[in-house]
């Protein structure tokens, strides 16, 4: 039997992606089904791309961003937060579990937190089950 | 051709038998309007519908269809599938006629459209006559209805004593032969009612719109620009009219890499789109919206007839009713027909 | 909704082999790529996917995963390979420009109606080209030269925006050696250009031909065709003998997709070569008048 | 007191006679109901009509007449759209003469092949609270009594949006009829690589509708142009309403009501709590 494992796309901003790297260096174990996409800033991630990731087969999308208080300018993280909040509302409306899109506050030295948070999220997404949008959108015979 | 009849209560039996041997597609109501789909339970079928919201063209020319796959170093595979036999039951004569026009265009030698032919040859088209045409309909203009169309294999007409069934092609006769016990030869009384019905419905439609279709040929010359400019102001350039039309056959192709192979899809296109004739060099023979609108109407009423010997409109009235901006092909007919 | 039972037919492609699906191209290899002008390359492909064609016909060239576009064949029918001169314009042409010898592309054709070779027997012939528009004229010219004794005088008027944009420059001498009256012009002279400067209509009066009997074949940008036709009529060439090759967006090449349906003519079936009076019936925008 | 229709015609005629506007965009009678018309001659003003079938928002046509002075007939929701467009710098207030007509709700369109069950008021009109355009140069009061509004339906019953999206043809009628979709190239098609393919892959309808919803969030004035032009009757306004609710809850922002109030995404301030 093939065991289903969730596919998770993580858009990581430059700071938090070094946090993700650190999780690797320091040997924190976290599930391997998280694919990271490094972006310059979390606020550059167009919510449409998050939707597109879900459409293409991701079971959940994670945005990791700098903690607003740690930023010289805090607007970008706030913008991301607002967008994700809006997107979650939208997903909830159309009947996709809102927990499939999340935001994580990760600083560049928080590899450990990243690993533990991701493990928790993967568990939660496993509970949600596969999203399988393609199956839902294409008419069943 | 030969006229048969079937009793009203036997229709369900006929449908059940059909659905055992073929894939039966018939209109039934979903979310407030009728749509064609696979009919699993013949009891869902109800004779009292006007027409389906969208045309049955998608069963022969889907909105998106695979043309070929090309595997690097292996060559082509093409999904020319062995289709199981499909029965389209309850298609209206106008939509059935649209199929015969599509045949004229797409099966025009020397290059037959294999993708279309493959789907078409395995389909049996059974039409159900319109005895109460909608206000938007004008099939009488193109002689594609309301009782008899030109593309069907069997024509069912609802009369007070059951259905009059006309076998129009060999395929149709074969179906009658297959279910011989359900059909009888139509008697004189029934045929009288049938003929009366034809006259009545045609008279009613003729009183709404009576146009000489032969005069439409070459309208672009006299049509001038004013009329189309007026309507072009209104047009919002969506592609609804083409998508809803039962015989808008223009298609667009798209190539991309999918998983392990290069694929080419083809699918519906619309001449209302500004990109329809625009070339990569930026040259565009039809720049303005008015030109494109003119092409849409003239193509249907004059250019297809000149090229393929059939009218590009069957008068189903979908574009008239669905257009958000109220652009009406009947105005063109009234003006120049 | 699934109505069908898939059964895959594997085959090598090409219309003849398939006999069914006219939309499947035949795979061929690029043999040579030659820079013609700064934005135009001539690709040679082989082996020829089809045996016979008339000069002036076109073929649909597929770059897998990118798209398909129609191109005039610019090598003569006697050649074992096939050549296309392609200017970098959209996605398909860009992909072809990036291709190198050995790459595989798909070709299907030949489609359309070529130049009227039958009409040309023993007559004088004038070819008028503009820029990339010389591509469909080259196979005709080479074909005429191969059968030199069957035709009368051959004159070529060829113009481009600048000398560097003249195509097939290395072949001019060979053509002239074989008795072609070649008149060149450019819109803007540059470098050591000593020839005529001006649009192509300014050199149309130079060839001395039997005007009433001359077959004129022209191809180029629409606006050039427009003024060439005007000028030709002024110069008393017979309208019946004037032909032009037009271009249009195409998706199928076999008259199904509707993109090139103008008036009652399909450019892909009834063209791309049109007679003078046929062009007059085309609707505004497509008609060069 | 004259009927709103006669008043409308008189006003349009005088505007055109005085050359206060070059053009009046309104509704005229057509065979199938009512359709937009563009009137530039005073005599033609008689063609104008006003009835509950005038549902298509005319605001989307304004972008085609940027150099002209245009008089436009607007309902409450259309007026809100104009307000929002002015905020987005898409419209010159000075060259637009806004003829506000009191709206009592519009009928749902009776489309091809639907069973005719009498005229029903459109669902989005049931919720509407702005019946007169908040921005106007002239107000025409309506003497027709308000269309009977069934008690606003409970939005509690959730729709199966995925199956609704599945019916979509992506004919772009929703995009093209929307007052706010003024981009010359829709972002759905404009991305390289494109967000969705040229030809409709059913699974991409999800991306298409969600992207559109995200672009409409906090802007949609719920005029129902998309919904009424949709051939397969997807109740898009309900989806966009849900996102507008989010904006109202978070920022107290309702699109198109107040010209002074800037859209929250445009004035996102440092340190502001989202």
């Amino acid at each position: 039997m093939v065991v289903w494992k969730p596919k998770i796309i993580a858009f990581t901003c430059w700071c938090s992606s070094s946090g993700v790297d650190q999780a690797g260096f320091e040997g924190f174990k976290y599930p391997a089904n998280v694919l990271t996409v490094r972006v310059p800033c979390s606020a550059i991630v167009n919510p449409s791309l998050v939707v597109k990731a879900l459409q293409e087969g991701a079971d959940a999308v994670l945005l990791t961003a700098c903690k607003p208080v740690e930023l010289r300018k805090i607007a970008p993280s706030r913008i991301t937060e607002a967008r994700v909040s809006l997107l979650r509302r939208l997903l909830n409306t159309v009947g996709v579990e809102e927990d499939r899109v999340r935001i994580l506050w990760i600083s560049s030295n928080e590899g450990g937190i990243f690993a533990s948070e991701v493990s928790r999220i993967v568990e939660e997404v496993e509970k949600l089950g596969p999203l399988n949008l393609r199956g839902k959108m294409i008419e069943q015979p | 051709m030969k006229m048969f009849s079937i009793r009203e209560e036997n229709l369900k039996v006929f449908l059940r038998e059909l659905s055992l041997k073929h894939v039966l597609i018939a209109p039934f109501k979903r979310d407030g309007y009728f749509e064609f789909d696979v009919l699993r339970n013949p009891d869902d079928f109800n004779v009292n519908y006007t027409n389906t919201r969208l045309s049955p063209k998608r069963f022969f020319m889907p909105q998106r269809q695979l043309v070929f796959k090309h595997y690097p170093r292996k060559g082509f595979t093409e999904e020319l599938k062995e289709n199981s036999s499909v029965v389209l039951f309850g298609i209206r004569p106008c939509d059935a006629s649209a199929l015969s026009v599509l045949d004229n265009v797409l099966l025009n030698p020397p290059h037959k459209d294999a993708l279309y032919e493959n789907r078409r040859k395995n389909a049996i088209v059974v039409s159900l006559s319109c005895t109460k045409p909608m206000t938007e309909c004008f099939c009488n203009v193109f002689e594609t209805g309301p009782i008899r169309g030109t593309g069907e294999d069997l024509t069912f007409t609802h009369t007070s004593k059951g259905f009059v069934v006309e076998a129009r092609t060999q395929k149709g006769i074969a179906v009658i032969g297959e279910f011989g016990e359900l059909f009888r030869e139509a008697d004189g009384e029934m045929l009288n009612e049938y003929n009366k019905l034809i006259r009545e419905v045609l008279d009613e439609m003729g009183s709404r719109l009576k146009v000489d279709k032969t005069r439409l040929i070459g309208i672009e010359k006299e049509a001038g620009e004013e009329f189309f400019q007026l309507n072009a102001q209104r047009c919002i350039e969506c592609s609804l009219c083409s998508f809803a039309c039962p015989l808008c056959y223009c298609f667009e192709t798209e190539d991309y890499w999918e998983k392990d192979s290069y694929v080419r899809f083809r699918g519906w296109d619309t001449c209302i789109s500004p990109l329809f004739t625009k070339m990569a060099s930026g040259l565009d023979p039809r720049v303005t919206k008015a030109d494109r609108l003119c092409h849409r109407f003239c193509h249907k009423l004059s250019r297809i007839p000149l090229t393929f010997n059939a009218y590009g409109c069957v008068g189903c009235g979908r574009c008239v009713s669905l257009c958000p901006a109220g652009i009406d092909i009947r105005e063109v007919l009234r003006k120049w027909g | 909704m699934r109505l069908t039972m898939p059964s895959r037919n594997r085959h090598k492609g090409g219309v003849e082999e398939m006999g069914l699906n006219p939309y499947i191209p035949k795979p061929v290899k690029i043999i040579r790529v030659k820079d013609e002008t700064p934005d135009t390359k001539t690709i040679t492909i082989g082996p020829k996917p089809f045996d016979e064609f008339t000069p002036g016909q076109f073929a649909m060239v597929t770059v897998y995963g990118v798209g398909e576009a129609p191109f005039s064949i610019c090598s003569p029918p006697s050649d074992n390979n096939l050549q296309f001169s392609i200017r970098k314009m959209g996605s398909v042409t860009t992909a072809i420009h990036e291709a190198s010898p050995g790459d595989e592309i798909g070709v299907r054709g030949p489609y359309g109606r070529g130049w009227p070779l039958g009409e040309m027997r023993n007559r004088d012939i004038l070819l008028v080209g503009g820029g990339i528009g010389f591509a469909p004229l080259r196979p005709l010219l080479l074909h005429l030269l191969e059968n030199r004794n069957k035709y009368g005088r051959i004159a070529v008027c060829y113009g481009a925006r600048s000398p560097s944009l003249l195509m097939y420059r290395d072949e001019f001498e060979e053509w002239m050696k074989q008795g072609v009256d070649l008149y060149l012009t450019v819109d803007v002279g540059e470098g050591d250009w000593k020839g005529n400067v001006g649009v192509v209509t300014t050199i149309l009066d130079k060839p001395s031909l039997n005007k009433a009997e001359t077959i004129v074949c022209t191809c180029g940008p629409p606006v050039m065709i427009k003024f060439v036709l005007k000028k030709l009529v002024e110069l008393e060439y017979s309208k019946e003998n004037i032909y032009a090759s037009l271009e249009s967006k195409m998706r199928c090449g076999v008259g199904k997709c509707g993109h090139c349906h103008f008036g009652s003519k399909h450019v892909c079936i009834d063209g791309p070569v049109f007679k003078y009076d046929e062009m007059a019936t085309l609707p505004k925008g497509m008609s060069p008048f | 007191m004259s009927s709103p229709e006669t008043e409308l015609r008189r006003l349009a005629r005088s505007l055109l006679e005085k050359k206060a506007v070059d053009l009046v965009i309104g509704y005229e009678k057509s065979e199938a109901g009512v359709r937009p018309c563009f009137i530039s001659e005073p005599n033609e003003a008689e063609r104008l009509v006003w009835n509950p079938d005038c549902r298509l928002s005319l605001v989307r046509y304004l972008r085609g007449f940027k150099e002209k002075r245009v008089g436009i007939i607007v309902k409450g929701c259309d007026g809100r759209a104009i307000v929002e467009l002015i905020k987005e710098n898409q419209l010159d207030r000075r060259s637009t003469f806004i003829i506000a007509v009191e709206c009592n709700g519009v009928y749902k369109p009776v489309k091809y092949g639907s069973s005719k069950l009498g005229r029903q008021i459109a669902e989005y009109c049931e919720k509407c609270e702005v019946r007169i355009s908040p921005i106007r140069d002239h107000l025409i009061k309506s003497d027709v009594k308000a269309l009977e509004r069934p008690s606003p339906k409970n939005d509690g019953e959730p729709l199966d949006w995925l199956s609704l999206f599945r019916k979509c043809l992506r004919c772009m009628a929703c995009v093209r009829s929307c007052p706010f979709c003024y981009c010359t190239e829709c972002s759905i098609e404009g991305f390289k690589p494109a967000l969705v393919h040229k030809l409709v892959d059913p699974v991409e309808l999800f991306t298409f509708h969600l992207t559109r919803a995200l672009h409409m969030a906090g802007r949609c004035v719920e005029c129902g142009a998309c919904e009424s032009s949709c051939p397969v009757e997807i109740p898009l306004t309900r989806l966009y309403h849900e996102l507008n609710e989010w904006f109202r809850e978070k920022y107290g922002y309702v699109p198109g009501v107040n010209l002074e109030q800037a859209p929250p995404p445009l004035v996102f301030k440092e340190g502001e709590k989202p």
Side-chain angles (χ1 to χ4, degrees):
Chain A
M1 203 180 98
V2 182
V3 182
W4 169 78
K5 278 199 178 134
K7 251 183 251 153
I8 297 179
I9 306 284
F11 292 99
T12 58
C13 77
W14 278 2
C15 298
S16 56
S17 74
S18 61
V20 178
D21 286 347
Q22 199 205 21
F25 297 146
E26 299 190 354
F28 292 110
K29 287 225 161 60
Y30 65 92
N33 27 14
V34 182
L35 301 168
T36 55
V37 180
R38 207 160 91 142
V39 292
C41 170
S42 60
I44 212 171
V45 180
N46 189 325
S48 301
L49 295 177
V50 177
V51 174
K52 179 81 178 167
L54 293 175
Q55 177 226 297
E56 293 283 349
D59 294 299
V61 177
L62 203 61
L63 283 106
T64 66
C66 303
K67 285 178 191 152
V69 284
E70 288 177 355
L71 280 173
R72 198 151 52 83
K73 286 184 175 295
I74 56 175
S77 286
R78 288 288 179 217
I79 288 174
T80 313
E81 199 179 351
R83 277 185 189 153
V84 169
S85 159
L86 177 66
L87 184 57
R88 281 167 68 106
R89 175 71 175 257
L90 176 59
L91 289 175
N92 201 16
T93 312
V94 300
V96 173
E97 298 86 349
E98 58 179 3
D99 281 350
R100 292 189 189 272
V101 176
R102 289 154 179 271
I103 192 160
L104 262 188
W105 305 113
I106 301 289
S107 301
S108 52
N109 58 352
E110 293 181 339
I113 296 179
F114 176 78
S116 61
E117 285 289 306
V118 161
S119 313
R120 188 177 57 82
I121 286 169
V122 168
E123 263 173 40
E124 281 180 26
V125 174
E126 264 170 6
K127 265 183 219 142
L128 288 175
L131 176 58
N132 190 19
L133 263 181
R134 185 166 280 275
K136 281 178 192 160
M137 288 301 292
I138 293 173
E139 231 168 318
Q140 300 297 324
Chain B
M1 284 293 238
K2 255 183 146 173
M3 307 294 279
F4 298 89
S5 72
I6 183 171
R7 286 213 312 269
E8 210 154 342
E9 58 269 28
N10 276 348
L11 184 69
K12 290 267 153 76
V13 183
F14 175 59
L15 288 178
R16 189 161 292 122
E17 299 270 312
L18 268 181
S19 66
L20 293 178
K21 291 193 178 171
H22 310 271
V23 177
L24 179 64
I25 297 173
F28 56 90
K29 197 168 182 175
R30 252 195 327 200
D31 310 332
Y33 57 88
F34 282 88
E35 208 50 89
F36 278 109
D37 210 334
V38 178
L39 189 71
R40 295 223 157 69
N41 182 7
D43 295 328
D44 289 347
F45 182 75
N46 184 354
V47 191
N48 297 319
Y49 64 97
T50 43
N51 201 351
T52 52
R53 175 71 52 88
L54 299 171
S55 67
K57 139 176 105 168
R58 68 193 163 100
F59 294 104
F60 302 99
M61 254 193 116
Q63 187 164 15
R64 175 170 167 276
Q65 186 178 18
L66 186 69
V67 179
F68 64 71
K69 276 187 179 196
H70 178 262
Y71 293 92
R73 289 186 298 279
K74 278 191 203 150
F76 292 92
T77 20
E78 133 204 64
E79 307 271 316
L80 265 188
K81 294 164 180 169
E82 266 320 303
N83 276 20
S84 47
S85 165
V86 173
V87 178
L88 224 65
F89 187 87
I91 183 172
R92 290 298 184 191
C94 50
D95 294 340
S97 311
L99 292 177
S100 75
V101 182
L102 282 178
D103 289 349
N104 270 13
V105 176
L106 295 170
L107 303 182
N108 188 21
H111 300 287
K112 286 189 175 179
D113 189 316
L115 302 165
Y116 172 79
E117 191 186 20
N118 192 43
R119 282 164 178 260
R120 181 78 171 94
K121 73 177 178 222
N122 287 321
I124 298 164
V125 179
V126 185
S127 78
L128 192 60
S129 305
C130 272
T131 44
K132 288 190 192 73
M134 275 178 279
T135 47
E136 296 95 346
C137 298
F138 49 99
C139 52
N140 58 328
V141 173
F142 300 101
E143 291 160 27
T144 54
I147 303 294
R148 297 171 86 240
T150 54
E152 59 258 51
D153 298 312
L154 286 172
T155 312
F156 277 57
T157 311
H158 199 189
T159 64
S160 60
K161 293 195 185 57
F163 292 90
V164 175
V165 183
E166 188 182 358
R168 307 284 296 276
T169 62
Q170 290 304 325
K171 240 192 226 173
I173 291 176
V175 174
I176 298 263
E178 217 177 318
F179 306 99
E181 68 278 12
L182 294 172
F183 294 92
R184 282 175 303 158
E185 294 252 344
D187 55 25
E189 200 183 333
M190 233 171 160
L191 288 179
N192 281 342
E193 195 186 335
Y194 172 71
N195 290 328
K196 202 170 132 234
L197 198 67
I198 295 188
R199 273 199 309 278
E200 276 172 10
V201 181
L202 269 178
D203 281 351
E204 193 211 321
M205 291 193 90
S207 66
R208 294 205 301 250
L209 185 68
K210 207 168 177 70
V211 171
D212 179 8
K213 64 174 179 177
T214 51
R215 288 183 50 198
L216 294 167
I217 295 194
I219 52 169
E220 60 257 59
K221 295 224 167 49
E222 42 180 312
E225 303 199 338
E226 200 193 339
F227 173 81
F228 293 111
Q229 258 158 16
L230 217 75
N231 273 307
Q233 280 188 321
R234 231 167 251 146
C235 177
I236 61 170
E237 293 186 295
C238 64
S239 25
L240 190 37
C241 43
S242 308
F243 285 10
C245 180
L247 52 63
C248 265
Y249 57 84
C250 294
F251 62 83
E252 175 69 307
T253 59
E254 189 179 18
D255 288 47
Y256 48 90
W257 171 265
E258 201 180 65
K259 269 184 194 159
D260 54 351
S261 57
Y262 300 107
V263 288
R264 174 171 299 158
F265 284 98
R266 74 157 184 196
W268 302 347
D269 200 0
T270 171
C271 52
I272 296 293
S273 153
L275 299 175
F276 188 71
T277 49
K278 191 167 182 176
M279 284 172 266
S281 57
L283 288 171
D284 190 354
R286 283 200 284 272
V287 190
T288 63
K289 221 196 283 181
D291 283 346
R292 295 195 291 272
L293 211 58
C294 172
H295 174 73
R296 182 176 155 74
F297 290 140
C298 297
H299 191 236
K300 290 199 166 299
L301 304 178
S302 153
R303 293 172 184 175
I304 293 182
L306 281 172
T307 323
F308 296 110
N309 199 22
Y311 282 82
C313 178
V314 288
C316 70
R318 284 190 179 87
C319 56
V320 174
S321 166
L322 293 178
C323 180
I327 294 171
D328 199 335
I329 195 168
R330 288 176 296 180
E331 270 179 50
V332 185
L333 298 177
R334 288 232 168 83
K335 215 162 171 154
W336 291 290
Chain C
M1 194 195 53
R2 220 159 286 153
L3 300 175
T4 48
M5 312 243 301
S7 83
R8 296 187 160 182
N9 308 328
R10 182 148 290 179
H11 59 89
K12 288 183 193 135
V15 183
E16 307 81 20
E17 258 170 85
M18 194 40 221
L20 273 171
N21 191 339
Y23 304 123
I24 295 204
K26 204 163 179 177
V28 287
K29 286 241 156 50
I30 298 180
I31 298 173
R32 263 194 312 280
V33 179
K34 182 178 158 228
D35 284 329
E36 208 69 62
T37 68
D39 62 354
T40 309
K41 283 183 179 179
T42 297
I43 59 162
T44 310
I45 57 162
K48 210 154 75 172
F50 38 82
D51 294 335
E52 286 181 358
F53 66 91
T54 322
Q57 283 190 302
F58 66 94
M60 302 293 286
V61 177
T62 301
V63 181
Y64 300 127
V66 180
E68 190 176 40
F71 295 105
S72 286
I73 301 167
C74 71
S75 57
S78 58
D79 200 338
N80 285 329
N81 295 324
L82 215 54
Q83 288 182 328
F84 298 100
S85 290
I86 292 164
R87 184 157 150 209
K88 197 169 172 174
M89 270 297 168
S91 53
V92 177
T93 50
T94 308
I96 294 175
H97 270 242
E98 285 161 4
S100 47
D103 288 353
E104 190 183 292
I105 57 170
V107 174
R108 60 194 176 93
Y111 295 130
R113 201 171 57 163
W115 302 108
L117 290 178
E119 304 268 308
M120 293 180 179
R121 266 300 160 85
N122 299 326
R123 294 216 196 160
D124 289 357
I125 292 149
L126 171 63
L127 308 183
V128 186
I132 181 88
F134 203 77
L137 293 170
R138 179 171 175 254
L140 174 64
L141 180 63
L142 295 177
H143 181 79
L144 296 178
L145 291 178
E146 278 164 19
N147 307 287
R148 190 68 193 85
N149 48 353
K150 291 186 193 159
Y151 304 98
R153 304 193 60 179
I154 301 172
V156 174
C157 295
Y158 182 30
R161 266 176 307 170
S162 70
S164 64
L165 291 178
L166 285 168
M167 299 205 304
Y168 317 119
R169 262 167 302 169
D170 46 346
E171 296 170 31
F172 290 166
E173 240 168 74
E174 178 65 30
W175 296 348
M176 289 202 281
K177 239 184 258 168
Q178 295 189 40
V180 175
D181 297 341
L182 184 63
Y183 303 94
L184 297 172
T185 183
V186 293
D187 295 357
V188 183
E190 66 183 27
D192 54 350
W193 179 255
K194 292 191 188 69
N196 189 56
V197 175
V199 288
V200 78
T201 44
T202 58
I203 51 168
L204 280 184
D205 50 353
K206 290 198 178 163
S208 52
L209 302 162
N210 179 5
K211 282 181 185 169
E213 287 294 308
T214 304
I215 301 271
V216 188
C217 300
T218 176
C219 182
V223 56
M224 184 211 97
I225 295 184
K226 178 179 171 175
F227 287 104
V228 164
L229 294 182
K230 220 167 166 184
K231 183 81 178 174
L232 287 172
V233 174
E234 269 171 38
L235 291 171
E236 290 172 348
Y237 284 93
S238 161
K239 278 185 190 175
E240 277 160 35
N241 297 333
I242 300 177
Y243 294 84
S245 177
L246 305 181
E247 64 171 338
S248 154
K249 181 169 173 174
M250 281 173 205
R251 283 293 180 243
C252 66
V254 291
K256 311 289 181 215
C257 77
H259 282 83
C260 67
H261 201 181
F262 294 93
S264 58
K265 300 264 185 270
H266 282 99
V267 176
C268 59
I269 299 175
D270 307 304
V273 174
F274 287 101
K275 249 183 138 157
Y276 188 93
D277 52 348
E278 282 172 339
M279 280 184 276
T281 66
L282 292 175
K284 190 192 77 181
M286 196 57 195
S287 154
F289 304 106
Chain D
M1 171 144 174
S2 53
S3 77
E5 210 167 84
T6 31
E7 203 181 333
L8 192 64
R9 287 174 186 164
R10 203 162 50 218
L11 177 69
R13 175 183 276 270
S14 76
L15 281 175
L16 288 165
E17 271 168 358
K18 280 188 291 186
K19 301 235 183 306
V21 295
D22 301 321
L23 179 89
V24 173
I25 309 181
Y27 301 94
E28 69 176 4
K29 208 175 149 14
S30 77
E31 250 183 280
V34 160
R35 65 182 184 189
C37 71
F38 306 85
I39 289 179
S40 47
E41 296 297 321
N43 308 337
E44 290 175 349
E46 295 306 308
R47 279 181 16 216
L48 290 172
V49 295
W50 176 254
N51 59 42
D53 269 327
C54 301
R55 69 181 76 79
L56 183 72
S57 168
L58 298 175
V59 178
R60 62 113 22 232
Y61 290 110
L62 282 177
R63 67 185 96 121
F65 301 102
K66 281 212 163 133
E67 306 85 47
K68 287 190 176 165
R69 290 165 303 153
V70 184
I72 183 168
I73 294 166
V74 297
K75 304 187 286 286
C77 45
D78 305 344
R80 287 172 64 194
I82 291 183
V83 169
E84 217 36 32
L85 285 173
I86 292 171
K87 285 188 211 168
E88 292 178 17
N89 279 336
Q90 291 298 322
L91 208 63
D92 186 1
R93 176 71 184 87
R94 282 161 302 171
S95 67
T96 319
F97 189 93
I98 299 164
I99 307 165
V101 186
E102 187 181 357
C103 166
N104 292 314
V106 296
Y107 287 135
K108 234 175 151 165
V110 177
K111 290 212 169 124
Y112 194 80
S114 55
S115 35
K116 287 177 181 130
L117 292 167
R119 313 308 312 273
Q120 275 178 309
I121 186 170
E123 204 183 307
Y124 46 87
C125 286
E126 289 168 11
K127 284 183 280 201
C128 173
E129 281 151 19
V130 185
R131 286 163 50 196
I132 299 174
S133 163
I135 187 172
R136 58 194 174 241
D137 296 309
H138 188 98
L139 173 64
I140 295 175
K141 284 259 183 204
S142 172
D143 59 346
V144 192
K145 69 174 193 331
L147 288 185
E148 199 177 314
R149 299 173 191 224
S151 52
K153 258 187 227 137
N154 188 8
D155 281 351
E157 43 159 335
L159 292 169
D160 181 2
W161 282 100
L162 294 186
S163 76
L164 285 170
F165 293 158
R166 202 158 59 197
K167 296 196 292 182
C168 174
L169 297 172
R170 219 172 84 201
C171 64
M172 305 295 263
C174 48
V175 174
R176 304 280 187 255
S177 59
C178 179
F180 292 102
C181 282
Y182 48 73
C183 302
T184 41
E185 194 177 34
C186 183
S187 75
I188 278 292
E189 300 152 336
F191 274 102
K192 286 271 187 284
L195 208 50
V196 296
H197 287 114
K198 222 168 17 176
L199 299 176
V200 181
D201 183 351
V203 68
E204 286 171 347
L205 296 171
F206 177 78
T207 314
F208 169 67
H209 280 288
L210 262 63
T211 302
R212 187 166 145 70
L214 286 165
H215 286 199
M216 295 311 295
R219 300 162 78 206
C220 180
V221 293
E222 294 163 48
C223 67
C226 48
E227 194 175 322
S228 64
S229 29
C230 181
V232 290
E233 296 178 8
I234 304 176
L236 289 166
T237 319
R238 246 167 100 172
L239 182 62
Y240 306 150
H241 177 78
E242 202 58 40
L243 298 184
N244 278 352
E245 285 294 295
W246 183 88
F247 268 84
R248 202 168 66 179
E249 286 159 19
K250 293 261 173 184
Y251 304 100
Y253 181 75
V254 179
V257 180
N258 187 349
L259 192 57
E260 308 302 319
Q261 195 185 12
L266 293 186
V267 288
F268 198 86
K269 273 188 231 65
E270 196 113 329
E272 189 182 332
K273 257 224 153 325

